[in-house]
Amino acid sequence: MKTLAILAVIATLAYGQMVITTINDANEVDRGNVLRAEVNKDYPLNRPLRVGDRIAAWGIYNDDSTTKFNLNIKGPNDLFLLHIDFRPFLKNSAGFGPIVLNNKVNGEWHEHLEREIRPAFNYGYFGKNKIFKVAALVGEKDYTIYFNDKEVGKFPQRNPIAQADRARLRGGSNGFRWIYIELPGNDRRIIDGNNLGNRMLIPGSIISAWGIYAEGSSKFSVGLKEANGDYMLHVDFRPPPSENKVVLNSFASGWQNEIRTALPTFEHGELFRVDIYCGADRFYIYHNNTQLGATFDYRPGFHLRDVTIIDLEGGSNCFQWNDKRVIQL
């Protein structure tokens, strides 16, 4: 049986100095550019910030008794290029209140020099023990702020983005907690969108995908899809109260014969990783470095070279797919 520990050794030999972050320790999951979050800790950026970069964070909300909490992009000398501050205590009886967007220079918030920006926000999106995501996308002249992947505001770049060198999470109380933070990385193997582009799958390719699980989520899947809509492989995770199984199948003008295997353990608020290793004649599927109980033979009429899309679908109750990548050994 192949293991990802063995694959990591092969990948290291194949790429020489390039670091392939497949898992060597079964107790530790490679999280790509996602790190476990700690409050009031600086997370240095891997490189200078640039247009198109995203900094994101995930948290778990408890109730409205929490203090304010925020995501920050910082620079040297206590410079805050962007401060995204959620203040539940300011919401009205209808559940609406502001998000406070600001920056800080020379120890002063720009409340007096330049006004805070306070876009209206529906705090009803938060719920007890629910996962949420906040992100800042770097544009040409401003930052676009997202909550659960929906735009909620913009903030002008009052300082050059080249001054940014770290990110920080702050605040929250009474059961609130930040759980993960995602920083821009140098890893060019991360796929933008779903299309593989010029990356043709070959025997030895590894497809990896990351997600954050939410209790009560509906089923979710990873699919290796062809341009015509057929699936060479569809890996469908079906947590309770569904079948509590993983269903493997292919699709060619209709679903074919299913293969069912046991569902691995998922924890609420925990980031997980799925790996699909393309062998000589079959797929090997892993969850957090542990191989599933079934493999999937390449079926007649399907070829790795015809796969053009890595399709991540499904999930609910604040379940999040995060990133995906392809490694070719």
Side-chain angles (χ1 to χ4, degrees), residues 188-197 199 323-324:
R188 288 303 182 184
R189 291 158 292 144
I190 296 291
I191 303 169
D192 296 322
N194 291 329
N195 294 328
L196 283 172
R199 299 176 178 90
D323 274 319
K324 50 189 177 293

Side-chain angles (χ1 to χ4, degrees), residues 191-236:
I191 303 169
D192 296 322
N194 291 329
N195 294 328
L196 283 172
N198 60 0
R199 299 176 178 90
M200 182 185 296
L201 294 185
I202 58 175
S205 294
I206 304 172
I207 301 97
S208 301
W210 292 263
I212 296 179
Y213 183 72
E215 190 174 45
S217 173
S218 57
K219 66 179 185 176
F220 49 95
S221 62
V222 182
L224 306 188
K225 194 174 183 179
E226 299 179 359
N228 63 5
D230 290 346
Y231 285 90
M232 185 175 183
L233 173 66
H234 186 260
V235 184
D236 202 29

Side-chain angles (χ1 to χ4, degrees), residues 73-298:
I73 300 176
K74 295 189 63 184
N77 302 318
D78 202 32
L79 169 66
F80 284 70
L81 290 87
L82 176 63
H83 174 71
I84 308 170
D85 198 29
F86 291 86
R87 301 181 182 181
F89 54 86
L90 292 181
K91 71 179 182 178
N92 59 26
S93 58
F96 286 86
I99 302 173
V100 177
L101 308 179
N102 209 342
N103 71 314
K104 183 180 181 182
V105 181
N106 297 325
E108 287 191 39
W109 294 105
H110 275 187
E111 294 172 298
H112 307 296
L113 302 178
E114 297 176 77
R115 285 176 57 92
E116 292 177 335
I117 294 177
R118 292 190 170 208
F121 179 74
N122 182 2
Y123 280 88
Y125 289 139
F126 290 108
K128 186 174 181 61
N129 204 34
K130 283 199 170 181
I131 301 167
F132 69 90
K133 174 184 176 183
V134 58
L137 180 67
V138 182
E140 293 283 354
K141 296 181 179 180
D142 56 22
Y143 304 95
T144 304
I145 315 304
Y146 294 87
F147 181 85
N148 287 349
D149 296 325
K150 295 181 180 179
E151 183 179 333
V152 293
K154 289 184 180 290
F155 188 78
Q157 292 172 10
R158 295 173 176 167
N159 304 88
I161 61 174
Q163 292 181 290
D165 63 9
R166 72 197 78 174
R168 178 183 285 190
L169 300 171
R170 302 197 308 178
S173 63
N174 297 330
F176 173 97
R177 60 190 174 103
W178 289 110
I179 53 175
Y180 293 105
I181 185 168
E182 178 187 41
L183 305 175
N186 295 318
D187 194 340
R188 288 303 182 184
R189 291 158 292 144
I190 296 291
I191 303 169
D192 296 322
N194 291 329
N195 294 328
L196 283 172
N198 60 0
R199 299 176 178 90
M200 182 185 296
L201 294 185
I202 58 175
S205 294
I206 304 172
I207 301 97
S208 301
W210 292 263
I212 296 179
Y213 183 72
E215 190 174 45
S217 173
S218 57
K219 66 179 185 176
F220 49 95
S221 62
V222 182
L224 306 188
K225 194 174 183 179
E226 299 179 359
N228 63 5
D230 290 346
Y231 285 90
M232 185 175 183
L233 173 66
H234 186 260
V235 184
D236 202 29
F237 295 89
R238 301 181 182 181
S242 185
E243 300 177 46
N244 202 24
K245 296 285 185 182
V246 181
V247 178
L248 311 178
N249 208 344
S250 53
F251 182 96
S253 302
W255 291 109
Q256 302 184 329
N257 295 328
E258 295 179 339
I259 297 175
R260 281 176 160 77
T261 190
L263 185 81
T265 300
F266 290 90
E267 299 289 343
H268 181 67
E270 286 295 309
L271 190 139
F272 66 90
R273 173 175 169 165
V274 175
D275 292 282
I276 300 172
Y277 173 70
C278 303
D281 56 5
R282 70 194 61 186
F283 294 108
Y284 300 83
I285 301 104
Y286 299 80
H287 166 263
N288 289 355
N289 199 36
T290 299
Q291 186 175 333
L292 298 188
T295 59
F296 192 85
D297 291 348
Y298 299 162

